Amino acid sequence: MKLSVFGAGYVGLVTGACFADLGHRVILADIDRRKVEMLRKGRIPIFEPGLDEVVKRNAKQGRLLFSTEQPRAVRESDILFIAVGTPSLPNGEADLSQVKTVAKTIGANLDGDKIIVNKSTVPVGMGDLVASIIREQKGGRHRFSVVSNPEFLREGNAVHDFMNPDRVVIGASDPKAAETVAQLFRPLNARITMTDVRSAEMIKYASNAFLACKISFINEIAALCDRVGADVNEVASGMGQDKRIGAAFLSAGAGFGGSCFPKDTLALIHVSEREGVEARLLRSVVQVNADQRKRMIEKVKEVVGPLEGRLIAVWGLAFKANTDDMREAVSVDVIELLRAAGARIRAYDPAAMANARKSLPGVAFAKDPYDAVKDADGLLILTEWNEFKEADLGRVKSLMRKPAIIDGRNIFDLKTVKALGFTYRGVGRSA
Ligand code: NAD
C-alpha cells in the first residue's frame, strides 16, 4: 500500500518506519525542515531504542521517504495518517490546531478517493470535524473516509509496542475503510477492535486517564504506607496478583509526567465539564500527582535538612526511562522547587540532558552518575534508568559529602542501601 504519515514525531516516526518494515511505501511528511533533513541524512531526532535500525533499513530500501512537501504526501498515497501533536492549551483543553492544519492540507490537495486515519489523541468529535474541514476544501469532490486509530505505544518501548500491540482499535463509520485499515495491521496478529469513530476516540482518553488513576491511587496509598510503616512495594505486589487489578502501573514514585498522561487527563476533564459531567475523580488524580512532586521536596528536607546552599545530585531527568523526552517531566517541577528552596543542583541523565538544558536553566550537568554525586548532600532519583539500578553504591557513598538517598522511583533494595550506611527515603517504604 502507499501510505503517508503527517508528523514525524515519537508516534509518526515509529508508525511510518514500522509500516515500511511491514512492506508498505511510506512518505513521512513533517513541517520541521531540520527534522526532515536529519532523517534524510540517516540521523534519528529522538532517542528510542531500536528505531534507528528500522528507519535506516527501510530508508535504504527506498520504502521510507521523508518530505516537507505536504501536497505531494497527499497526492501520492492512498491512506493518510495524522500523527501530529495535540498539546494542552492553558485551560487544559487539547490544542487541535496541528490536526486542523493537516486536515486543511489534505482537503486542499485531495485528488482521488482516500482514507484518512487519525492517530493523534483527540477529543470525541474530532473525526467529524476533520471530515468537515476536508469537505469544505476541494476534498468535497472526492470520496474519503475518516477513521480513528488511536495509538497506545509507550515511549522507550515504542517499536516493540507498535509491532506487538495488546489491541488495535479502529473506529469507522465506513466498513470498507475500516477493513482496509485493519488489513495493514493483520501481519501483527493482534486483536483488532472495530468500533465507531467516537468510541475509538474515547477509548484512548479513557485508557490514559485510567492508567493515570492507577498511578495516583498507589501514590496515595504510598503516602499512607509512609505513615503506618507498611511497604508500598509489598502492597502493590500483593494487589497486583489479583487478576481483577493487575500489576501494571502500580509503582509508587514521584508521580507521572510525559507528553500524554498530564495533557490527556486535563483534556478529558475539560471535555467532561464542557458536557456538564463533573470530573471529580480525574480532578483528584491530577491533584494527587501535583502533590506528589511537593512530597519529594519534603522527603529531601527530611534527610538533608534546610536546603539553602546544599548541593543535591539528581539522577534522571527524562519523564521515564529509555527516552530523551522531557515534556512535563517530574524533574522540571521538582528541580524548580528545590532551587526555589535554595538548593544547588547537579544532574545526570543518560539520554535527556540535551533536551533538559532547554528547560532547566541554572542546573549543572554531570558527565556520569558518579560525577553528579561528588560532594553532594543528597542524591535524588527521579527516573528509573537501569544504569542507576546497577550503580556502584559503595563508590557513590565514598564520593558524597553526606550519604543520603531520596529514591523517587523506589529502585533500590532497602536492606542494601541501609547496610551500606546510607540515610534512605523511598516512596511509601519505611525508612
Ligand atoms: P511530537 O510532538 O513528537 O510530533 C509531532 C510532529 O508533528 C512534530 O515533528 C511536528 O513538527 C509535526 N507537525 C506539526 N504540524 C504539522 C503539520 N501541519 N504537518 C506535518 N507535520 C506537522 O508528538 P508525538 O509525541 O508523536 O504525539 C503525536 C500524537 O500522538 C499526540 O496527539 C499524542 O497525544 C499522541 N500519542 C503520543 C504518544 C507518545 O508516547 N508520544 C503515545 C500515544 C499517542
Side-chain angles (χ1 to χ4, degrees), residues 9-11 30 35 70 84 86 98 121 151 155 263 327:
Y10 286 86
V11 168
D30 202 293
K35 200 176 258 188
Q70 319 276 325
V84 292
T86 49
Q98 295 179 32
T121 303
E151 182 51 61
E155 285 176 25
K263 83 169 170 68
R327 288 179 285 185

Side-chain angles (χ1 to χ4, degrees), residues 25 39 73 120 157 188 203 249 256-257 318 324 343 364 412 417-418 420:
R25 198 281 279 119
L39 286 163
S120 295
N157 224 20
L188 304 181
I203 286 169
F249 283 80
F256 61 79
D324 60 351
F412 291 126
V417 280
K418 283 197 175 163
L420 280 166

Side-chain angles (χ1 to χ4, degrees), residues 71-128:
R72 183 186 150 215
V74 177
R75 286 195 295 266
E76 293 187 9
S77 292
D78 309 309
I79 305 181
L80 313 174
F81 282 86
I82 303 177
V84 292
T86 49
S88 285
L89 289 169
N91 66 354
E93 189 179 356
D95 177 354
L96 301 170
S97 56
Q98 295 179 32
V99 179
K100 288 180 189 168
T101 303
V102 176
K104 270 190 200 148
T105 306
I106 293 174
N109 293 286
L110 214 61
D111 60 345
D113 298 353
K114 314 251 171 186
I115 299 173
I116 294 95
V117 187
N118 186 29
K119 264 207 168 302
S120 295
T121 303
V122 291
V124 172
M126 193 61 197
D128 295 338

Side-chain angles (χ1 to χ4, degrees), residues 119-273:
K119 264 207 168 302
S120 295
T121 303
V122 291
V124 172
M126 193 61 197
D128 295 338
L129 186 58
V130 165
S132 72
I133 292 172
I134 294 173
R135 214 172 291 120
E136 277 165 20
Q137 309 285 321
K138 75 171 187 183
R141 286 193 241 135
H142 300 281
R143 262 169 36 94
F144 67 90
S145 291
V146 176
V147 172
S148 168
N149 169 227
E151 182 51 61
F152 299 97
L153 61 77
R154 295 163 298 172
E155 285 176 25
N157 224 20
V159 174
H160 173 271
D161 286 354
F162 188 91
M163 292 298 198
N164 303 276
D166 288 341
R167 80 302 205 189
V168 172
V169 174
I170 295 174
S173 52
D174 169 1
K176 210 168 140 232
E179 187 45 40
T180 306
V181 176
Q183 285 296 340
L184 294 174
F185 291 97
R186 297 261 189 248
L188 304 181
N189 292 322
R191 186 184 317 174
I192 296 181
T193 296
M194 299 278 205
T195 181
D196 59 281
V197 174
R198 285 176 177 250
S199 301
E201 291 168 337
M202 196 63 180
I203 286 169
K204 175 63 193 174
Y205 270 126
S207 300
N208 273 4
F210 185 73
L211 294 173
C213 213
K214 277 185 103 173
I215 297 172
S216 279
F217 176 84
I218 201 68
N219 280 337
E220 194 160 288
I221 295 292
L224 189 55
C225 287
D226 271 335
R227 291 297 177 97
V228 299
D231 183 329
V232 76
N233 283 3
E234 298 292 318
V235 175
S237 160
M239 286 171 65
Q241 286 161 31
D242 186 328
K243 286 199 192 75
R244 294 169 304 174
I245 297 172
F249 283 80
L250 284 182
S251 300
F256 61 79
S259 67
C260 291
F261 290 177
K263 83 169 170 68
D264 293 347
T265 41
L266 288 178
L268 191 52
I269 290 171
H270 189 273
V271 172
S272 300
E273 297 187 346

